[in-house]
Amino acid sequence: MRVRQATTDDLDAVIHVGVTTWRATYPPITGEAYVEEGIAKWWIPDTVLPGIRAGTVLVAELEDRVVAMASYSVFEDHLMLWKLYVLPDSQGSGAGSALLAEVIARAGDLPVRLTHLVGNDRAHAVYERLGFVESATVPSPIDDGPEEIVMERSAG
């Protein structure tokens, strides 16, 4: 397992991870319309490339294949984990945990915050095991989507 900062050469692989994972994970929770709207909004070059260029997208590779990605940035008084996705056939490989450990390391003295969809119990359990605590529920960024659970991990 290798975790590294994404480059522009990884653009297609990062989008592939996101689109594939969304289509495999979210339909039972959100329905197809939410999934396709989210993909059209957040998994296109115009929205992925700025993070790659800013150095705030990480990838995890197994055998020279990108199998997971994370996107983060400093936001207000914390580091926000915007995206963390692992290809379905690589879930359980440690790729997500490795990415999250790197994001936490990059946070330094800042707490790390993230959100996940209500109903995504698997993600919730993973984040709890890694020290995140539920702190709030917020509305969906997509009309008629499920609420999101906010979780936070203290600095350090």
Side-chain angles (χ1 to χ4, degrees):
M1 172 80 53
R2 181 178 123 163
V3 172
R4 62 176 174 79
Q5 193 166 303
T7 69
T8 55
D9 290 341
D10 296 309
L11 176 64
D12 290 340
V14 168
I15 290 172
H16 173 74
V17 167
V19 169
T20 302
T21 306
W22 267 61
R23 287 189 172 140
T25 305
Y26 292 149
I29 299 170
T30 65
E32 293 290 338
Y34 178 96
V35 170
E36 293 310 314
E37 185 174 342
I39 288 170
K41 187 174 187 175
W42 294 309
W43 294 105
I44 59 171
D46 286 348
T47 57
V48 175
L49 203 48
I52 291 174
R53 288 186 174 140
T56 58
V57 176
L58 303 172
V59 293
E61 293 178 319
L62 282 172
E63 300 174 5
D64 295 324
R65 178 176 83 114
V66 172
V67 298
M69 63 78 59
S71 173
Y72 66 93
S73 68
V74 174
F75 184 74
E76 297 172 351
D77 61 348
H78 59 278
L79 187 137
M80 185 70 191
L81 177 65
W82 299 109
K83 298 175 180 173
L84 176 64
Y85 293 101
V86 180
L87 288 172
D89 66 356
S90 295
Q91 292 176 4
S93 69
S97 295
L99 284 168
L100 191 52
E102 180 62 24
V103 169
I104 290 167
R106 290 177 180 220
D109 293 335
L110 295 174
V112 178
R113 193 172 295 163
L114 57 84
T115 64
H116 69 79
L117 298 177
V118 168
N120 192 347
D121 299 332
R122 185 173 182 191
H124 193 88
V126 167
Y127 294 136
E128 277 187 330
R129 277 197 311 273
L130 296 170
F132 286 82
V133 178
E134 185 174 333
S135 60
T137 303
V138 296
S140 173
I142 295 178
D143 290 341
D144 300 321
E147 291 183 311
E148 294 186 355
I149 295 173
V150 179
M151 298 185 82
E152 188 166 318
R153 185 179 191 278
S154 300

